[in-house]
Amino acid sequence: MPNTARLRYTRAFLSVAAIVVVCLGAALDGGVANGRIPSSGQPSAALMSPDAAAVVTGGGTVIAPAGFGTAVASFGLNAKRPPGFAGGGAAMGRVNYDKHAQSSNGRHTNVPVMFMEAETSGTPTPNGTGGKATLSGNCGVPTSECPTGTVSVLVYVEDNGDSGGGVDIFRIFFCTIAAFLPDPNTFDPTSPPPGCQGPEGGLLRSGNIQERVTGPSGSAGNAPTAARAPLRLP
């Protein structure tokens, strides 16, 4: 091939390669570029397991349900496996949830965590966290506080990125049946399981949720103090 033709061919090839790189960069989701795990907002829970060795901590605010206008709710939570854990969903920890409405029935929830099923991410964020979990809390112990008629609560969380607010997810269900874990193959975290109402919450307005892999002796720490939040959104 003459030198002139070869030079033209090389330039054309490099131009095409540059276009491909630019297009791929534009197609990358901004969240992925920031080390974020993409979430559809209606995530699949099929990979969560009651045997997963995970620790979950978090705190922040979410928008309260429609019945509370534009008020927000704050939460703090932690969960880990108990010493000697060998599978089966047992967990320990705490969930706090407060609705910031001037007048609301059962505005405060404070329960111990009894069970947990989790999935830790195979593509963690830069700080090594990521995943999903469902926590089950018991309203029937003396240290619990729940809305009237509530026997247990389910809390579903997602750690989708290090930034937390606008990325991570917190949802809570109020149930009239004993503490349980839903079937991870059929559970839809946007709809209430039988015997439950909700969910309340959704994408975090502020705060952060973190989930990481840990052994049975791993510490979840103390439940974060519920974040301060204005009674009404601006």
Side-chain angles (χ1 to χ4, degrees):
M1 180 183 295
N3 289 338
T4 301
R6 184 178 296 107
L7 180 60
R8 289 176 180 172
Y9 175 81
T10 301
R11 286 176 176 174
F13 176 80
L14 291 175
S15 297
V16 171
I19 292 172
V20 170
V21 170
V22 170
C23 290
L24 287 174
L28 271 176
D29 179 83
V32 174
N34 290 320
R36 183 182 306 162
I37 303 167
S39 173
S40 65
Q42 294 186 349
S44 168
L47 296 180
M48 290 193 294
S49 168
D51 301 324
V55 58
V56 182
T57 59
T61 61
V62 290
I63 298 176
F68 297 91
T70 56
V72 299
S74 58
F75 72 92
L77 62 86
N78 68 70
K80 66 176 181 178
R81 298 304 188 187
F85 176 75
M92 55 192 298
R94 202 83 189 176
V95 172
N96 297 312
Y97 177 70
D98 287 282
K99 301 174 189 176
H100 294 274
Q102 296 290 355
S103 59
S104 60
N105 175 36
R107 64 186 296 270
H108 183 59
T109 300
N110 186 344
V111 296
V113 174
M114 306 298 292
F115 307 109
M116 173 173 66
E117 56 192 13
E119 173 206 353
T120 52
S121 175
T123 54
T125 62
N127 71 0
T129 65
K132 313 167 185 177
T134 301
L135 317 178
S136 180
N138 183 9
C139 294
V141 299
T143 58
S144 295
E145 185 176 353
C146 293
T148 302
T150 302
V151 178
S152 66
V153 299
L154 278 179
V155 171
Y156 174 82
V157 296
E158 284 188 32
D159 176 7
N160 290 316
D162 294 341
S163 59
V167 180
D168 292 350
I169 291 174
F170 171 92
R171 293 190 176 102
I172 185 168
F173 301 85
F174 299 91
C175 308
T176 57
I177 57 178
F180 73 103
L181 287 175
D183 183 347
N185 294 303
T186 58
F187 176 50
D188 176 1
T190 66
S191 300
C196 301
Q197 294 182 340
E200 296 181 7
L203 283 173
L204 267 59
R205 177 173 174 261
S206 62
N208 197 7
I209 292 170
Q210 293 192 333
E211 178 178 344
R212 67 180 73 244
V213 177
T214 185
S217 60
S219 173
N222 296 319
T225 302
R228 290 186 175 272
L231 296 180
R232 300 288 169 182
L233 293 173

